Amino acid sequence: MDLQNLLKQAQKMQGSIQKIEAELNESEYAGTAGGNGVSVTIKGNYEVVNINIEEDLLEKDNKEMLQDLIMVAINQAVDTASKDREEKMGTVTAGVKMPGMF
């Protein structure tokens, strides 16, 4: 394989990665906890865009439980987004781990 062909393939892969990255950043991922009492939505770039808490969980005595539920919901959403990112990037990189990509 010549260097010019290799460079073309790398540029094609870079374009594909950028396209997938843009798609992932616009995708939304949800996490829930407490029987859907807490739901969190994040973007593919891990930006939290929505948190919903059911009214009955807002009682003062529920503070620690509510904090735990929010943390669980966020972690669930992040895990889902990470797995999606890894799967989609893997289709382009053919399983090659690229530093800083995922």
Side-chain angles (χ1 to χ4, degrees), residues 2 5 9 12 19 26 32 40 54-55 58 63 65 74 76 83 90-91 96-97 100:
D2 64 46
N5 191 21
Q9 286 181 339
K12 182 179 177 184
K19 181 179 176 184
E26 290 303 313
T32 60
V40 173
E54 294 294 319
E55 289 288 327
L58 296 175
K63 181 180 177 184
M65 180 187 67
I74 289 173
Q76 186 183 82
K83 286 178 181 174
T91 63
V96 175
K97 296 285 184 183

Side-chain angles (χ1 to χ4, degrees), residues 6-44:
L6 187 61
L7 182 58
K8 284 181 184 179
Q9 286 181 339
Q11 288 173 337
K12 182 179 177 184
M13 186 187 330
Q14 182 181 16
S16 296
I17 288 171
Q18 288 174 341
K19 181 179 176 184
I20 290 171
E21 189 74 37
E23 177 185 312
L24 288 168
N25 288 344
E26 290 303 313
S27 297
E28 291 189 353
Y29 303 90
T32 60
N36 295 334
V38 174
S39 63
V40 173
T41 305
I42 66 169
K43 292 276 193 176

Side-chain angles (χ1 to χ4, degrees), residues 15-95:
S16 296
I17 288 171
Q18 288 174 341
K19 181 179 176 184
I20 290 171
E21 189 74 37
E23 177 185 312
L24 288 168
N25 288 344
E26 290 303 313
S27 297
E28 291 189 353
Y29 303 90
T32 60
N36 295 334
V38 174
S39 63
V40 173
T41 305
I42 66 169
K43 292 276 193 176
N45 61 359
Y46 308 110
E47 173 189 358
V48 176
V49 294
N50 186 43
I51 296 176
N52 185 46
I53 302 169
E54 294 294 319
E55 289 288 327
D56 58 331
L57 292 175
L58 296 175
E59 297 174 11
K60 187 175 183 176
D61 294 339
N62 287 339
K63 181 180 177 184
E64 287 183 25
M65 180 187 67
L66 182 57
Q67 290 169 332
D68 289 343
L69 292 174
I70 292 169
M71 186 172 47
V72 167
I74 289 173
N75 287 335
Q76 186 183 82
V78 168
D79 185 55
T80 302
S82 294
K83 286 178 181 174
D84 191 39
R85 175 176 297 276
E86 187 172 329
E87 179 183 316
K88 288 180 179 174
M89 288 296 185
T91 63
V92 174
T93 62

